[in-house]
Amino acid sequence: MAKLDNIIVVGLFWGDEGKAKIIDYLSKAVEIIIRFQGGANAGHSVEIDGKRYVLHQVPTGILRPEKQCIMGAGTVINLQSLIEELHTLESQGIEWRGRLSIDPRAHIVLPYHKQIEKIFESHHKIGTTIRGIGPAYSDKALRIGIRIGELSLGIPQIEKKLDQWIKNVGVLYSQYYNFEFQSPRIVAKDLMESMQFLGNIVIDKTMYLDEIARTKGGILAEGAQGTMLSINWGTYPYVTSSETIAGGSAESLCMDLRLFDRIVGVSKAFCTRVGMGAFPTEGDENTQRKLRGSGEKDTDEFGATTGRPRRCGWLDGVVLKNSSRINGIDELALTKLDVLSGINPIKLAVEYKSLRFNIPSLHSELENVEPIYENFEGFNGNITEIRNWEDIPKNAKLYIRRIQELSGSPVKFIGVGPDREDIITI
Ligand code: GDP
Ligand code: IMO
Ligand code: MG
């Protein structure tokens, strides 16, 4: 049998680009889907036959029954929300047992992390998802986090570690902000109970993945969030706490990254952002309303994790070019083209005044850039049934060609609706 491609899929903007839909499509031709960073801050949605599935921690590959899924070493795991997510999937007819594993090196998101994040957000607002992601990654960097594999050491050991955490770190918060953390005894017991429910799910598959990548192929590394939310390359400090770009997959994949055959970058046909931070092409009220939708449709621009209305604007070609470059993308997937139908003109930012094709490292500088737009004549009608490039309206083709030019990579996939089948491949 011919070797399957090993693929990395990443978002090119501020998350919610429609990665899940593209990953679901590409999953047909791979065997293993591994989430490489982030945690329950993600919301990845796919529609199948009118039924909607929203994944937060579980890799999107779970929606295809024969595929194996791994939550990689670079992810942070909230066991309680994972169990809730699995219950929901079960109620939707998805069998996960025997198909899902977690790398023992993945860090646990403790209830303490959420409490700390709430305090931070009240002083230093980022507009996070309050899923404890930042504090969990901070503990990892401080080397006081608990890895999921450590739960096999038993309750007394975990209690001891939690006690140490309270003494060394927790006390700083509880004394200063005058609140109490849940007792380590209860937290340790809850963690163990969760593990009992999950069964034998913590498995080190690094050697196996290496072997598969070299022989049969068929590994898909699923990114969460997006390039502009990268802790290193995003709009710091208004970012998430992990490395979201293709290179970030090294956090979860203990293997030669040259074994990847393709890197696919996902972009919407316009831009969105949730939370605070620079957004050069953010639209005026009227534009935002048109791009966001009223909220009546599941796919209107309201967060899959927090329900917050997403900020909307025109596609930013400067960010697109930069993100395509730093991820080294081979192929571009463009989602939600159907949403632009009826909007006239469609604007596309092609450079920033005086900065041209450069994303400044200073957030305050990016906040003040002035995008230069090209106007594209709009197109009309319902394009959701279209499956061939030839049938796409002429004006939409002109827009896509310009996007391709700015990205420097070919558009290989076009989303024309939320369903798994609503896709044009080129
Ligand atoms: P992700 O986090 O990148 O996986 O994206 P989300 O799932 O958070 O957000 C993308 C939204 O757009 C979801 O509501 C999807 O169901 C929807 N979606 C994805 N692709 C398309 C498309 O081509 N057309 C339309 N109308 N909706 C889409
Ligand atoms: P998916 O995988 C969109 C944003 C939050 C906030 C910032 C930091 O669905 O694309 P965090 O909770 O990570 O500390 O929040 O990042 N954010 C996302 N925005 N999609 C996501 O994930 C996001 N995950 C985090 O809104 O601005
Ligand atoms: Mg999302």
Side-chain angles (χ1 to χ4, degrees):
M1 211 175 81
K3 186 170 170 278
L4 302 170
D5 277 356
N6 296 314
I7 310 170
I8 302 177
V9 183
V10 286
L12 300 178
F13 287 88
W14 288 277
D16 302 329
E17 295 91 347
K19 296 176 290 296
K21 183 182 154 118
I22 300 302
I23 290 162
D24 172 66
Y25 179 81
L26 293 168
S27 296
K28 282 202 279 194
V30 300
E31 297 295 330
I32 303 168
I33 295 88
I34 172 165
R35 249 296 284 280
F36 63 81
Q37 39 70 232
N41 47 351
H44 293 179
S45 348
V46 183
E47 285 187 15
I48 305 170
D49 293 333
K51 211 161 143 186
R52 196 166 172 81
Y53 301 83
V54 183
L55 300 149
H56 298 284
Q57 299 187 75
V58 179
T60 301
I62 208 77
L63 302 178
R64 295 200 179 259
E66 66 284 12
K67 312 295 172 184
Q68 292 294 314
C69 294
I70 302 175
M71 293 156 72
T75 60
V76 286
I77 314 278
N78 181 322
L79 286 172
Q80 232 160 11
S81 11
L82 175 62
I83 290 172
E84 282 164 27
E85 186 174 339
L86 293 170
H87 280 317
T88 306
L89 286 172
E90 272 173 5
S91 73
Q92 294 181 300
I94 307 282
E95 184 47 68
W96 58 272
R97 284 193 191 272
R99 300 177 50 215
L100 178 67
S101 64
I102 309 177
D103 190 288
R105 301 164 189 84
H107 278 246
I108 297 176
V109 179
L110 297 167
Y112 307 147
H113 292 139
K114 249 190 204 181
Q115 282 178 285
I116 293 176
E117 190 168 347
K118 275 188 193 150
I119 297 173
F120 273 150
E121 274 290 293
S122 64
H123 295 268
H124 173 63
K125 197 163 172 56
I126 302 286
T128 72
T129 57
I130 318 276
R131 295 297 186 272
I133 304 295
Y137 277 117
S138 312
D139 278 1
K140 175 178 174 174
L142 278 172
R143 287 140 299 165
I144 52 164
I146 302 180
R147 287 169 152 197
I148 198 160
E150 292 179 76
L151 295 183
S152 64
L153 301 173
I155 287 198
Q157 280 294 328
I158 298 304
E159 248 187 79
K160 209 164 128 191
K161 283 208 79 162
L162 291 167
D163 271 331
Q164 266 169 3
W165 186 92
I166 300 265
K167 277 197 197 103
N168 295 336
V169 185
V171 73
L172 302 174
Y173 295 97
S174 49
Q175 281 182 2
Y176 193 75
Y177 294 105
N178 197 24
F179 75 89
E180 285 215 7
F181 287 110
Q182 216 176 5
S183 120
R185 204 170 49 81
I186 295 172
V187 175
K189 191 171 137 286
D190 287 350
L191 291 173
M192 287 307 175
E193 276 175 12
S194 297
M195 285 314 292
Q196 255 169 8
F197 170 83
L198 291 168
N200 183 24
I201 196 173
V202 179
I203 308 168
D204 186 348
K205 293 197 172 174
T206 44
M207 293 306 286
Y208 167 72
L209 282 171
D210 189 281
E211 164 86 14
I212 294 288
R214 285 171 201 282
T215 54
K216 294 199 304 198
I219 294 173
L220 188 151
E222 169 170 357
Q225 289 81 54
T227 303
M228 293 303 273
L229 289 173
S230 149
I231 181 97
N232 294 300
W233 307 105
T235 46
Y236 192 88
Y238 300 99
V239 292
T240 191
S241 304
S242 63
E243 186 44 86
T244 56
I245 70 169
S249 61
E251 294 217 31
S252 273
L253 288 151
C254 183
M255 65 188 218
D256 186 344
L257 291 185
R258 286 171 300 184
L259 292 169
F260 280 96
D261 303 285
R262 288 151 68 196
I263 301 176
V264 180
V266 187
S267 165
K268 263 180 212 161
F270 51 97
C271 273
T272 62
R273 170 160 209 173
V274 212
M276 321 279 289
F279 184 0
T281 60
E282 186 164 16
D284 56 24
E285 222 171 283
N286 185 32
T287 306
Q288 293 220 39
R289 209 174 317 117
K290 278 195 265 187
L291 294 170
R292 185 185 297 125
S294 62
E296 271 165 51
K297 285 192 275 179
D298 282 334
T299 55
D300 287 346
E301 295 294 345
F302 292 82
T305 297
T306 58
R308 290 179 288 179
R310 293 175 184 148
R311 297 159 65 192
C312 296
W314 303 112
L315 192 72
D316 187 331
V318 184
V319 171
L320 178 72
K321 189 179 171 97
N322 189 65
S323 295
S324 301
R325 181 182 65 79
I326 65 181
N327 285 289
I329 71 164
D330 300 293
E331 298 170 5
L332 191 60
L334 195 66
T335 63
K336 294 196 115 173
L337 183 67
D338 52 303
V339 175
L340 292 184
S341 177
I343 296 180
N344 193 19
I346 297 167
K347 294 172 80 168
L348 172 62
V350 293
E351 54 181 271
Y352 299 151
K353 221 176 227 173
S354 73
L355 275 167
R356 298 182 66 80
F357 291 118
N358 197 10
I359 301 291
S361 65
L362 270 181
H363 181 260
S364 52
E365 214 178 312
L366 185 65
E367 257 185 329
N368 291 314
V369 295
E370 210 182 306
I372 299 170
Y373 292 99
E374 280 174 11
N375 282 356
F376 288 77
E377 214 173 298
F379 56 93
N380 292 305
N382 184 350
I383 62 164
T384 298
E385 304 292 321
I386 294 180
R387 294 292 175 268
N388 297 306
W389 169 257
E390 292 70 38
D391 301 330
I392 296 177
K394 188 178 99 257
N395 288 346
K397 278 186 184 158
L398 292 173
Y399 180 60
I400 296 165
R401 286 213 180 95
R402 185 67 173 118
I403 289 169
Q404 187 162 275
E405 206 172 271
L406 290 166
S407 157
S409 309
V411 174
K412 289 279 182 182
F413 311 94
I414 300 172
V416 286
D419 196 87
R420 106 171 350 164
E421 302 295 334
D422 298 335
I423 192 162
I424 298 170
T425 55
I426 303 163

